[in-house]
Amino acid sequence: ASSADPYDVIIVGGGPGGYVAAIKAGQLGLRTAIVEGRGALGGTCLNVGCIPSKAMLHNSNLYHAAKHDFKDRGIDVSDLKLNLPQMLKNKEKAVSGLTKGVEGLIKKNKVDYVKGWASFAGPTSLNISLTEGGETQIEGKNIIIATGSEVTPFPGMEFDEKSIVSSTGALDLEKVPEKMIVIGGGVIGLEMGSVWNRLGANVQVVEFLSSIGGAGIDGEVAKSFQKILQKQGVQFKLGTKVIDAEKKDGKVYLNVEDAKSGKKEQLDADVVLVAIGRRPTVKNLNLEAIGVELDNKGRVIVDDEFNTTCKGVKCIGDATFGPMLAHKAEEEGIAAVEIIKHGHGHVNYETIPSVIYTHPEVAWVGKSSEELKKDGVNIKVGTFPFMANSRAKTVLDTDGMVKVITEAETDKILGVHIIGPNAGELLAEAVLAMEYGASSEDVARTCHAHPTMSEAIKEAMLAAHFKAIHM
Ligand code: FAD
Ligand code: NAI
């Protein structure tokens, strides 16, 4: 192909949805370009999301453990000090290493990396405002929108990323705030709230609903999660509506009211983190010009093959329907490219895992008890606490449990909910079991190594099917 020929596929956006789609397209022999304007590949996830937050979660947990937990374990440390600049530097190192790695993979798979911001000039052509200056136009037989999402601002509160911050500012605070208020008790609020709580801030989470954890979390797990976080020092103000904020004398004052009684109160903090959700990034794409329609939440409308309302243009990841998760975006990226190449591709939305990377972690796949009861499904529940798991006991990490929900008539696994050490890694087994349509008996009869935390899954499966052994 000459450089003037149209690409087989152009992907707009270099996040986990876009870059994975680009690699797959390269592997399948499609002539591919990826357009990204932020100066690095990896999107929200690698640059200001999953990766830097997990770096901070891990190291803040080690610091917290050294301070509060080591003594009980028989390890005396003296002169323990937080070196925040070094912790932030390590986070940056993880980010730059991984984003460069992605750039290497893109090159290896012969994908052209176009640095700049794209907007549609027509259904098969994009104008690119180049990072190095100037403009260019590229043509593609297929275009995939993978432009991701951005933080939803709180009306009237402007982010200065110092005292009123989004998750991006919360990943980069120069010093530990004395007092931090988090608006929103969802995933970002709890992860970033945990980080700064562990590093010494007084953290208060203000949430509109009466429970924490965001959409899809099992009610029983959410309650136990809240208790555990409270034990760690995080404070919660649930059922509370934030009205507005004002900055005065280096502090932020928040006016809030009780959602039921309407009782008003003023809270103050050094730093306020706004974490009330994210919204698709589509505004500069000139979608109106090509007839790509959005729903009432600003998400790009697609059919079950990721086709938008403009022929030849697909959309995947955070910019369209479904949970805003990196692995969901990746699966869609691959399926979209396979559909372009082979005419078919598939994502199983019933088995997309959710993980909250606090300590203990919270992880689940499938439906919650509440959702299943609402759907009128006859369920059986098996639970097993980590308190009764030998490995958890050995390592003094016994908070939490595994909860397995099955269909009563068939024993088919419908949901697995874990709160406990390494829940995110443990969950993979449950995801695989559900992907293969397993029953709780199937997993209960599978040999699990001893002593491992994974035995808690086997025991909860045994409990759902018949009876646990160690309870
Ligand atoms: P994005 O990653 O948002 O990438 C889109 C890219 O498109 C961006 O780089 C953007 O610059 C680019 N772009 C936008 N418009 C244009 C344009 N016009 N031209 C060119 N380029 C454009 N998910 C998890 O699964 N696990 C986690 O642990 C996790 N942690 C998170 C922590 C935080 C603090 C945040 C904010 C998010 C987290 N997420 C996590 C969510 C995850 O980051 C997203 O679901 C994921 O990045 C979505 O991928 P995407 O490819 O759809 O979009
Ligand atoms: P979220 O949707 O998880 O939680 C937002 C919370 O804010 C909800 O509990 C909601 O009830 C509450 N809220 C909304 N408006 C409010 C108001 N006015 N006052 C008080 N509370 C209010 O969104 P969040 O935490 O911002 O995260 C955005 C996305 O990023 C999520 O969809 C998540 O999927 C993704 N993410 C994933 C992570 C992971 O997989 N570990 C980590 C971080 C983010």
mmCIF file of all heavy atoms in Angstrom, residues 12-18 35-38 40 42-45 47-50 53-54 116-119 146-149 167 171 188 191-192 278 281 284-285 316-319 324-327 329 355 357, ligand 1:
data_model
loop_
_atom_site.group_PDB
_atom_site.id
_atom_site.type_symbol
_atom_site.label_atom_id
_atom_site.label_comp_id
_atom_site.label_asym_id
_atom_site.label_seq_id
_atom_site.Cartn_x
_atom_site.Cartn_y
_atom_site.Cartn_z
ATOM 1 N N VAL A 12 -9.066 6.018 17.057
ATOM 2 C CA VAL A 12 -8.919 7.346 17.675
ATOM 3 C C VAL A 12 -8.896 7.163 19.186
ATOM 4 O O VAL A 12 -9.905 6.799 19.794
ATOM 5 C CB VAL A 12 -10.071 8.287 17.275
ATOM 6 C CG1 VAL A 12 -9.843 9.677 17.873
ATOM 7 C CG2 VAL A 12 -10.209 8.365 15.763
ATOM 8 N N GLY A 13 -7.735 7.400 19.787
ATOM 9 C CA GLY A 13 -7.586 7.239 21.230
ATOM 10 C C GLY A 13 -6.655 6.087 21.555
ATOM 11 O O GLY A 13 -6.846 4.983 21.059
ATOM 12 N N GLY A 14 -5.648 6.355 22.386
ATOM 13 C CA GLY A 14 -4.608 5.355 22.671
ATOM 14 C C GLY A 14 -4.709 4.728 24.047
ATOM 15 O O GLY A 14 -3.711 4.291 24.609
ATOM 16 N N GLY A 15 -5.939 4.654 24.612
ATOM 17 C CA GLY A 15 -6.132 3.996 25.921
ATOM 18 C C GLY A 15 -6.156 2.485 25.778
ATOM 19 O O GLY A 15 -5.877 1.941 24.701
ATOM 20 N N PRO A 16 -6.513 1.782 26.863
ATOM 21 C CA PRO A 16 -6.529 0.315 26.814
ATOM 22 C C PRO A 16 -7.464 -0.244 25.738
ATOM 23 O O PRO A 16 -7.183 -1.309 25.170
ATOM 24 C CB PRO A 16 -7.000 -0.114 28.201
ATOM 25 C CG PRO A 16 -7.211 1.107 28.989
ATOM 26 C CD PRO A 16 -6.825 2.302 28.198
ATOM 27 N N GLY A 17 -8.557 0.463 25.450
ATOM 28 C CA GLY A 17 -9.422 0.028 24.353
ATOM 29 C C GLY A 17 -8.718 0.210 23.027
ATOM 30 O O GLY A 17 -8.573 -0.728 22.230
ATOM 31 N N GLY A 18 -8.216 1.426 22.787
ATOM 32 C CA GLY A 18 -7.623 1.788 21.504
ATOM 33 C C GLY A 18 -6.309 1.088 21.216
ATOM 34 O O GLY A 18 -6.119 0.524 20.136
ATOM 35 N N VAL A 35 -4.419 7.257 16.623
ATOM 36 C CA VAL A 35 -4.245 8.700 16.832
ATOM 37 C C VAL A 35 -4.393 8.998 18.323
ATOM 38 O O VAL A 35 -5.378 8.593 18.937
ATOM 39 C CB VAL A 35 -5.320 9.508 16.072
ATOM 40 C CG1 VAL A 35 -4.988 10.998 16.101
ATOM 41 C CG2 VAL A 35 -5.491 9.016 14.645
ATOM 42 N N GLU A 36 -3.423 9.673 18.888
ATOM 43 C CA GLU A 36 -3.499 10.024 20.320
ATOM 44 C C GLU A 36 -2.879 11.399 20.516
ATOM 45 O O GLU A 36 -1.785 11.670 20.042
ATOM 46 C CB GLU A 36 -2.784 8.971 21.164
ATOM 47 C CG GLU A 36 -2.589 9.317 22.636
ATOM 48 C CD GLU A 36 -3.886 9.584 23.395
ATOM 49 O OE1 GLU A 36 -4.700 8.661 23.532
ATOM 50 O OE2 GLU A 36 -4.096 10.739 23.839
ATOM 51 N N GLY A 37 -3.577 12.250 21.271
ATOM 52 C CA GLY A 37 -3.121 13.637 21.409
ATOM 53 C C GLY A 37 -2.403 13.975 22.706
ATOM 54 O O GLY A 37 -1.777 15.028 22.821
ATOM 55 N N ARG A 38 -2.458 13.071 23.710
ATOM 56 C CA ARG A 38 -1.979 13.471 25.036
ATOM 57 C C ARG A 38 -0.453 13.388 25.187
ATOM 58 O O ARG A 38 0.088 13.785 26.238
ATOM 59 C CB ARG A 38 -2.668 12.667 26.124
ATOM 60 C CG ARG A 38 -2.133 11.248 26.286
ATOM 61 C CD ARG A 38 -2.953 10.409 27.257
ATOM 62 N NE ARG A 38 -3.195 11.074 28.512
ATOM 63 C CZ ARG A 38 -4.302 10.906 29.228
ATOM 64 N NH1 ARG A 38 -5.266 10.127 28.782
ATOM 65 N NH2 ARG A 38 -4.450 11.518 30.365
ATOM 66 N N ALA A 40 1.321 10.553 25.117
ATOM 67 C CA ALA A 40 1.737 9.205 25.543
ATOM 68 C C ALA A 40 0.591 8.251 25.260
ATOM 69 O O ALA A 40 -0.573 8.653 25.304
ATOM 70 C CB ALA A 40 2.063 9.185 27.023
ATOM 71 N N GLY A 42 -1.603 4.655 26.245
ATOM 72 C CA GLY A 42 -2.047 4.091 27.526
ATOM 73 C C GLY A 42 -3.291 4.739 28.103
ATOM 74 O O GLY A 42 -3.905 4.207 29.026
ATOM 75 N N GLY A 43 -3.661 5.921 27.574
ATOM 76 C CA GLY A 43 -4.931 6.538 27.964
ATOM 77 C C GLY A 43 -5.010 6.927 29.427
ATOM 78 O O GLY A 43 -3.991 7.141 30.092
ATOM 79 N N THR A 44 -6.256 7.020 29.893
ATOM 80 C CA THR A 44 -6.515 7.354 31.297
ATOM 81 C C THR A 44 -5.863 6.310 32.194
ATOM 82 O O THR A 44 -5.206 6.624 33.188
ATOM 83 C CB THR A 44 -8.045 7.319 31.557
ATOM 84 O OG1 THR A 44 -8.680 8.215 30.655
ATOM 85 C CG2 THR A 44 -8.374 7.689 32.982
ATOM 86 N N CYS A 45 -6.049 5.048 31.825
ATOM 87 C CA CYS A 45 -5.640 3.931 32.675
ATOM 88 C C CYS A 45 -4.156 3.988 33.027
ATOM 89 O O CYS A 45 -3.788 3.983 34.198
ATOM 90 C CB CYS A 45 -5.975 2.628 31.963
ATOM 91 S SG CYS A 45 -5.498 1.173 32.868
ATOM 92 N N ASN A 47 -1.893 6.462 32.312
ATOM 93 C CA ASN A 47 -1.318 7.771 32.649
ATOM 94 C C ASN A 47 -1.833 8.350 33.956
ATOM 95 O O ASN A 47 -1.058 8.864 34.758
ATOM 96 C CB ASN A 47 -1.564 8.757 31.503
ATOM 97 C CG ASN A 47 -0.746 8.407 30.277
ATOM 98 O OD1 ASN A 47 0.461 8.625 30.266
ATOM 99 N ND2 ASN A 47 -1.380 7.833 29.261
ATOM 100 N N VAL A 48 -3.157 8.282 34.178
ATOM 101 C CA VAL A 48 -3.737 8.937 35.367
ATOM 102 C C VAL A 48 -4.819 8.091 36.034
ATOM 103 O O VAL A 48 -5.686 8.613 36.719
ATOM 104 C CB VAL A 48 -4.334 10.330 35.007
ATOM 105 C CG1 VAL A 48 -3.240 11.332 34.684
ATOM 106 C CG2 VAL A 48 -5.336 10.225 33.849
ATOM 107 N N GLY A 49 -4.791 6.780 35.824
ATOM 108 C CA GLY A 49 -5.867 5.930 36.354
ATOM 109 C C GLY A 49 -5.349 4.697 37.056
ATOM 110 O O GLY A 49 -4.645 4.781 38.072
ATOM 111 N N CYS A 50 -5.689 3.536 36.463
ATOM 112 C CA CYS A 50 -5.365 2.228 37.057
ATOM 113 C C CYS A 50 -3.941 2.150 37.592
ATOM 114 O O CYS A 50 -3.715 1.754 38.737
ATOM 115 C CB CYS A 50 -5.494 1.110 36.008
ATOM 116 S SG CYS A 50 -6.723 1.339 34.738
ATOM 117 N N SER A 53 -2.668 4.788 40.339
ATOM 118 C CA SER A 53 -3.418 4.600 41.587
ATOM 119 C C SER A 53 -2.991 3.317 42.285
ATOM 120 O O SER A 53 -2.882 3.274 43.507
ATOM 121 C CB SER A 53 -4.932 4.643 41.340
ATOM 122 O OG SER A 53 -5.344 3.597 40.489
ATOM 123 N N LYS A 54 -2.706 2.263 41.508
ATOM 124 C CA LYS A 54 -2.285 1.015 42.151
ATOM 125 C C LYS A 54 -0.889 1.142 42.744
ATOM 126 O O LYS A 54 -0.583 0.536 43.764
ATOM 127 C CB LYS A 54 -2.351 -0.160 41.163
ATOM 128 C CG LYS A 54 -3.669 -0.904 41.241
ATOM 129 C CD LYS A 54 -4.825 -0.264 40.527
ATOM 130 C CE LYS A 54 -5.828 0.422 41.368
ATOM 131 N NZ LYS A 54 -6.919 1.052 40.597
ATOM 132 N N GLY A 116 -1.519 13.544 17.784
ATOM 133 C CA GLY A 116 -2.328 14.741 17.615
ATOM 134 C C GLY A 116 -3.771 14.465 17.979
ATOM 135 O O GLY A 116 -4.127 13.332 18.333
ATOM 136 N N TRP A 117 -4.620 15.495 17.894
ATOM 137 C CA TRP A 117 -6.050 15.359 18.218
ATOM 138 C C TRP A 117 -6.839 15.204 16.931
ATOM 139 O O TRP A 117 -6.650 15.968 15.986
ATOM 140 C CB TRP A 117 -6.547 16.574 19.001
ATOM 141 C CG TRP A 117 -5.853 16.746 20.326
ATOM 142 C CD1 TRP A 117 -4.923 17.694 20.634
ATOM 143 C CD2 TRP A 117 -6.005 15.943 21.497
ATOM 144 N NE1 TRP A 117 -4.488 17.537 21.935
ATOM 145 C CE2 TRP A 117 -5.142 16.474 22.488
ATOM 146 C CE3 TRP A 117 -6.789 14.829 21.823
ATOM 147 C CZ2 TRP A 117 -5.037 15.928 23.776
ATOM 148 C CZ3 TRP A 117 -6.680 14.288 23.107
ATOM 149 C CH2 TRP A 117 -5.825 14.831 24.056
ATOM 150 N N ALA A 118 -7.753 14.227 16.929
ATOM 151 C CA ALA A 118 -8.521 13.936 15.717
ATOM 152 C C ALA A 118 -9.929 14.519 15.791
ATOM 153 O O ALA A 118 -10.516 14.581 16.870
ATOM 154 C CB ALA A 118 -8.609 12.420 15.530
ATOM 155 N N SER A 119 -10.453 14.929 14.640
ATOM 156 C CA SER A 119 -11.888 15.200 14.549
ATOM 157 C C SER A 119 -12.351 14.780 13.156
ATOM 158 O O SER A 119 -11.567 14.785 12.202
ATOM 159 C CB SER A 119 -12.202 16.668 14.838
ATOM 160 O OG SER A 119 -11.853 17.450 13.740
ATOM 161 N N ALA A 146 -12.291 5.450 20.263
ATOM 162 C CA ALA A 146 -11.890 4.881 21.563
ATOM 163 C C ALA A 146 -11.358 6.023 22.419
ATOM 164 O O ALA A 146 -10.255 5.957 22.967
ATOM 165 C CB ALA A 146 -10.837 3.797 21.355
ATOM 166 N N THR A 147 -12.169 7.087 22.496
ATOM 167 C CA THR A 147 -11.692 8.316 23.128
ATOM 168 C C THR A 147 -11.933 8.362 24.634
ATOM 169 O O THR A 147 -11.617 9.362 25.281
ATOM 170 C CB THR A 147 -12.343 9.544 22.459
ATOM 171 O OG1 THR A 147 -13.753 9.303 22.373
ATOM 172 C CG2 THR A 147 -11.802 9.763 21.056
ATOM 173 N N GLY A 148 -12.514 7.310 25.194
ATOM 174 C CA GLY A 148 -12.536 7.181 26.646
ATOM 175 C C GLY A 148 -13.435 8.155 27.372
ATOM 176 O O GLY A 148 -14.462 8.605 26.843
ATOM 177 N N SER A 149 -13.014 8.498 28.588
ATOM 178 C CA SER A 149 -13.877 9.330 29.437
ATOM 179 C C SER A 149 -13.055 10.348 30.205
ATOM 180 O O SER A 149 -11.827 10.281 30.248
ATOM 181 C CB SER A 149 -14.622 8.441 30.426
ATOM 182 O OG SER A 149 -13.695 7.796 31.285
ATOM 183 N N SER A 167 -9.445 12.907 40.380
ATOM 184 C CA SER A 167 -8.526 11.800 40.690
ATOM 185 C C SER A 167 -7.112 12.135 40.228
ATOM 186 O O SER A 167 -6.134 11.729 40.856
ATOM 187 C CB SER A 167 -9.016 10.504 40.043
ATOM 188 O OG SER A 167 -9.248 10.683 38.663
ATOM 189 N N LEU A 171 -3.735 12.067 42.700
ATOM 190 C CA LEU A 171 -2.604 11.154 42.509
ATOM 191 C C LEU A 171 -1.275 11.883 42.638
ATOM 192 O O LEU A 171 -0.219 11.278 42.514
ATOM 193 C CB LEU A 171 -2.677 10.524 41.109
ATOM 194 C CG LEU A 171 -3.700 9.406 40.938
ATOM 195 C CD1 LEU A 171 -3.955 9.125 39.465
ATOM 196 C CD2 LEU A 171 -3.216 8.159 41.649
ATOM 197 N N ILE A 188 -13.332 5.330 42.899
ATOM 198 C CA ILE A 188 -12.226 6.293 43.014
ATOM 199 C C ILE A 188 -12.166 6.864 44.427
ATOM 200 O O ILE A 188 -11.099 6.946 45.031
ATOM 201 C CB ILE A 188 -12.381 7.433 41.974
ATOM 202 C CG1 ILE A 188 -12.165 6.863 40.568
ATOM 203 C CG2 ILE A 188 -11.400 8.565 42.258
ATOM 204 C CD1 ILE A 188 -12.249 7.880 39.458
ATOM 205 N N GLU A 191 -10.706 4.193 46.800
ATOM 206 C CA GLU A 191 -9.281 3.894 46.569
ATOM 207 C C GLU A 191 -8.414 5.091 46.967
ATOM 208 O O GLU A 191 -7.460 4.957 47.741
ATOM 209 C CB GLU A 191 -9.039 3.538 45.090
ATOM 210 C CG GLU A 191 -9.579 2.158 44.725
ATOM 211 C CD GLU A 191 -9.171 1.651 43.339
ATOM 212 O OE1 GLU A 191 -8.558 2.418 42.550
ATOM 213 O OE2 GLU A 191 -9.470 0.492 43.035
ATOM 214 N N MET A 192 -8.733 6.266 46.432
ATOM 215 C CA MET A 192 -7.868 7.419 46.711
ATOM 216 C C MET A 192 -8.037 7.900 48.159
ATOM 217 O O MET A 192 -7.083 8.377 48.773
ATOM 218 C CB MET A 192 -8.147 8.566 45.725
ATOM 219 C CG MET A 192 -7.781 8.261 44.282
ATOM 220 S SD MET A 192 -6.174 7.455 44.079
ATOM 221 C CE MET A 192 -5.070 8.688 44.766
ATOM 222 N N ARG A 278 -17.605 9.432 35.877
ATOM 223 C CA ARG A 278 -16.916 9.919 34.681
ATOM 224 C C ARG A 278 -17.904 9.963 33.508
ATOM 225 O O ARG A 278 -18.924 9.297 33.525
ATOM 226 C CB ARG A 278 -15.711 9.016 34.362
ATOM 227 C CG ARG A 278 -14.641 9.085 35.456
ATOM 228 C CD ARG A 278 -13.476 8.139 35.202
ATOM 229 N NE ARG A 278 -12.751 8.440 33.974
ATOM 230 C CZ ARG A 278 -11.813 9.379 33.840
ATOM 231 N NH1 ARG A 278 -11.469 10.128 34.875
ATOM 232 N NH2 ARG A 278 -11.196 9.567 32.693
ATOM 233 N N THR A 281 -15.664 11.167 26.602
ATOM 234 C CA THR A 281 -14.962 12.284 25.963
ATOM 235 C C THR A 281 -15.282 12.244 24.474
ATOM 236 O O THR A 281 -14.706 11.437 23.740
ATOM 237 C CB THR A 281 -13.429 12.114 26.092
ATOM 238 O OG1 THR A 281 -13.122 11.779 27.428
ATOM 239 C CG2 THR A 281 -12.689 13.366 25.698
ATOM 240 N N ASN A 284 -14.947 17.007 21.094
ATOM 241 C CA ASN A 284 -14.199 17.649 19.997
ATOM 242 C C ASN A 284 -14.093 16.794 18.744
ATOM 243 O O ASN A 284 -13.275 17.051 17.868
ATOM 244 C CB ASN A 284 -12.808 18.043 20.487
ATOM 245 C CG ASN A 284 -12.902 19.070 21.596
ATOM 246 O OD1 ASN A 284 -13.775 19.946 21.564
ATOM 247 N ND2 ASN A 284 -12.045 18.959 22.596
ATOM 248 N N LEU A 285 -14.925 15.750 18.660
ATOM 249 C CA LEU A 285 -14.792 14.813 17.536
ATOM 250 C C LEU A 285 -15.605 15.224 16.311
ATOM 251 O O LEU A 285 -15.512 14.594 15.272
ATOM 252 C CB LEU A 285 -15.231 13.415 17.981
ATOM 253 C CG LEU A 285 -14.264 12.654 18.898
ATOM 254 C CD1 LEU A 285 -14.933 11.420 19.464
ATOM 255 C CD2 LEU A 285 -13.001 12.272 18.127
ATOM 256 N N ILE A 316 -15.883 1.901 21.078
ATOM 257 C CA ILE A 316 -15.612 0.931 22.155
ATOM 258 C C ILE A 316 -15.186 1.662 23.437
ATOM 259 O O ILE A 316 -14.870 2.847 23.404
ATOM 260 C CB ILE A 316 -14.464 -0.033 21.757
ATOM 261 C CG1 ILE A 316 -13.190 0.775 21.445
ATOM 262 C CG2 ILE A 316 -14.846 -0.898 20.558
ATOM 263 C CD1 ILE A 316 -11.929 -0.045 21.452
ATOM 264 N N GLY A 317 -15.168 0.921 24.545
ATOM 265 C CA GLY A 317 -14.579 1.434 25.793
ATOM 266 C C GLY A 317 -15.467 2.416 26.535
ATOM 267 O O GLY A 317 -16.693 2.402 26.407
ATOM 268 N N ASP A 318 -14.837 3.290 27.318
ATOM 269 C CA ASP A 318 -15.566 4.226 28.178
ATOM 270 C C ASP A 318 -16.479 5.174 27.409
ATOM 271 O O ASP A 318 -17.412 5.740 27.985
ATOM 272 C CB ASP A 318 -14.569 5.101 28.970
ATOM 273 C CG ASP A 318 -13.991 4.395 30.186
ATOM 274 O OD1 ASP A 318 -14.179 3.177 30.309
ATOM 275 O OD2 ASP A 318 -13.342 5.078 31.011
ATOM 276 N N ALA A 319 -16.202 5.391 26.113
ATOM 277 C CA ALA A 319 -16.987 6.356 25.342
ATOM 278 C C ALA A 319 -18.387 5.826 25.022
ATOM 279 O O ALA A 319 -19.263 6.574 24.616
ATOM 280 C CB ALA A 319 -16.257 6.724 24.051
ATOM 281 N N MET A 324 -17.196 1.318 33.061
ATOM 282 C CA MET A 324 -16.001 2.043 32.615
ATOM 283 C C MET A 324 -14.778 1.372 33.215
ATOM 284 O O MET A 324 -14.253 1.798 34.250
ATOM 285 C CB MET A 324 -16.106 3.498 33.029
ATOM 286 C CG MET A 324 -17.164 4.245 32.247
ATOM 287 S SD MET A 324 -17.196 5.969 32.721
ATOM 288 C CE MET A 324 -18.086 6.696 31.347
ATOM 289 N N LEU A 325 -14.344 0.293 32.583
ATOM 290 C CA LEU A 325 -13.218 -0.486 33.082
ATOM 291 C C LEU A 325 -12.239 -0.765 31.960
ATOM 292 O O LEU A 325 -12.641 -1.000 30.806
ATOM 293 C CB LEU A 325 -13.707 -1.814 33.666
ATOM 294 C CG LEU A 325 -14.604 -1.691 34.901
ATOM 295 C CD1 LEU A 325 -15.209 -3.033 35.270
ATOM 296 C CD2 LEU A 325 -13.824 -1.108 36.083
ATOM 297 N N ALA A 326 -10.952 -0.797 32.297
ATOM 298 C CA ALA A 326 -9.910 -0.980 31.293
ATOM 299 C C ALA A 326 -10.053 -2.333 30.591
ATOM 300 O O ALA A 326 -9.957 -2.419 29.363
ATOM 301 C CB ALA A 326 -8.543 -0.877 31.951
ATOM 302 N N HIS A 327 -10.310 -3.396 31.370
ATOM 303 C CA HIS A 327 -10.368 -4.725 30.753
ATOM 304 C C HIS A 327 -11.605 -4.884 29.882
ATOM 305 O O HIS A 327 -11.580 -5.627 28.909
ATOM 306 C CB HIS A 327 -10.270 -5.830 31.812
ATOM 307 C CG HIS A 327 -11.067 -5.582 33.051
ATOM 308 N ND1 HIS A 327 -10.607 -4.785 34.067
ATOM 309 C CD2 HIS A 327 -12.291 -5.997 33.421
ATOM 310 C CE1 HIS A 327 -11.515 -4.745 35.026
ATOM 311 N NE2 HIS A 327 -12.552 -5.463 34.653
ATOM 312 N N ALA A 329 -12.829 -2.355 28.098
ATOM 313 C CA ALA A 329 -12.434 -1.632 26.884
ATOM 314 C C ALA A 329 -11.541 -2.517 26.011
ATOM 315 O O ALA A 329 -11.682 -2.569 24.782
ATOM 316 C CB ALA A 329 -11.707 -0.333 27.262
ATOM 317 N N VAL A 355 -13.116 -4.880 40.471
ATOM 318 C CA VAL A 355 -12.204 -4.962 41.624
ATOM 319 C C VAL A 355 -11.992 -3.571 42.213
ATOM 320 O O VAL A 355 -11.773 -2.612 41.478
ATOM 321 C CB VAL A 355 -10.821 -5.537 41.214
ATOM 322 C CG1 VAL A 355 -9.918 -5.689 42.436
ATOM 323 C CG2 VAL A 355 -10.958 -6.873 40.490
ATOM 324 N N TYR A 357 -9.342 -1.800 44.668
ATOM 325 C CA TYR A 357 -8.011 -2.191 45.130
ATOM 326 C C TYR A 357 -7.620 -1.590 46.477
ATOM 327 O O TYR A 357 -6.523 -1.084 46.646
ATOM 328 C CB TYR A 357 -6.968 -1.845 44.061
ATOM 329 C CG TYR A 357 -7.173 -2.638 42.786
ATOM 330 C CD1 TYR A 357 -8.060 -2.202 41.806
ATOM 331 C CD2 TYR A 357 -6.507 -3.839 42.575
ATOM 332 C CE1 TYR A 357 -8.275 -2.935 40.645
ATOM 333 C CE2 TYR A 357 -6.707 -4.578 41.410
ATOM 334 C CZ TYR A 357 -7.592 -4.115 40.455
ATOM 335 O OH TYR A 357 -7.793 -4.840 39.315
HETATM 336 P P1 FAD B 1 -9.132 6.040 27.913
HETATM 337 O O1 FAD B 1 -8.197 5.231 28.690
HETATM 338 O O2 FAD B 1 -9.774 7.202 28.557
HETATM 339 O O3 FAD B 1 -8.300 6.534 26.633
HETATM 340 C C1 FAD B 1 -8.817 7.391 25.690
HETATM 341 C C2 FAD B 1 -7.679 8.154 25.041
HETATM 342 O O4 FAD B 1 -8.197 8.852 23.920
HETATM 343 C C3 FAD B 1 -7.032 9.198 25.927
HETATM 344 O O5 FAD B 1 -5.659 8.959 26.051
HETATM 345 C C4 FAD B 1 -7.312 10.513 25.222
HETATM 346 O O6 FAD B 1 -6.227 11.436 25.307
HETATM 347 C C5 FAD B 1 -7.529 10.072 23.795
HETATM 348 N N1 FAD B 1 -8.375 10.974 23.009
HETATM 349 C C6 FAD B 1 -9.569 11.507 23.374
HETATM 350 N N2 FAD B 1 -10.060 12.273 22.390
HETATM 351 C C7 FAD B 1 -9.169 12.218 21.378
HETATM 352 C C8 FAD B 1 -9.126 12.796 20.079
HETATM 353 N N3 FAD B 1 -10.099 13.592 19.628
HETATM 354 N N4 FAD B 1 -8.047 12.553 19.318
HETATM 355 C C9 FAD B 1 -7.030 11.756 19.759
HETATM 356 N N5 FAD B 1 -7.035 11.169 20.961
HETATM 357 C C10 FAD B 1 -8.097 11.398 21.770
HETATM 358 N N6 FAD B 1 -10.189 0.597 35.350
HETATM 359 C C11 FAD B 1 -9.857 -0.665 35.675
HETATM 360 O O7 FAD B 1 -10.268 -1.601 34.976
HETATM 361 N N7 FAD B 1 -9.060 -0.932 36.754
HETATM 362 C C12 FAD B 1 -8.600 0.047 37.547
HETATM 363 O O8 FAD B 1 -7.895 -0.228 38.514
HETATM 364 C C13 FAD B 1 -8.938 1.387 37.249
HETATM 365 N N8 FAD B 1 -8.487 2.401 38.011
HETATM 366 C C14 FAD B 1 -8.807 3.686 37.669
HETATM 367 C C15 FAD B 1 -8.350 4.719 38.482
HETATM 368 C C16 FAD B 1 -8.647 6.030 38.182
HETATM 369 C C17 FAD B 1 -8.134 7.137 39.069
HETATM 370 C C18 FAD B 1 -9.417 6.322 37.016
HETATM 371 C C19 FAD B 1 -9.728 7.736 36.648
HETATM 372 C C20 FAD B 1 -9.890 5.301 36.210
HETATM 373 C C21 FAD B 1 -9.597 3.974 36.535
HETATM 374 N N9 FAD B 1 -10.066 2.905 35.761
HETATM 375 C C22 FAD B 1 -9.750 1.620 36.101
HETATM 376 C C23 FAD B 1 -10.897 3.125 34.572
HETATM 377 C C24 FAD B 1 -10.038 3.006 33.298
HETATM 378 O O9 FAD B 1 -8.997 3.947 33.358
HETATM 379 C C25 FAD B 1 -10.899 3.225 32.059
HETATM 380 O O10 FAD B 1 -12.012 2.373 32.075
HETATM 381 C C26 FAD B 1 -10.099 2.958 30.793
HETATM 382 O O11 FAD B 1 -8.953 3.776 30.725
HETATM 383 C C27 FAD B 1 -10.964 3.156 29.546
HETATM 384 O O12 FAD B 1 -10.206 2.912 28.415
HETATM 385 P P2 FAD B 1 -10.529 3.624 27.015
HETATM 386 O O13 FAD B 1 -9.509 3.092 26.071
HETATM 387 O O14 FAD B 1 -11.949 3.452 26.688
HETATM 388 O O15 FAD B 1 -10.307 5.177 27.262
#
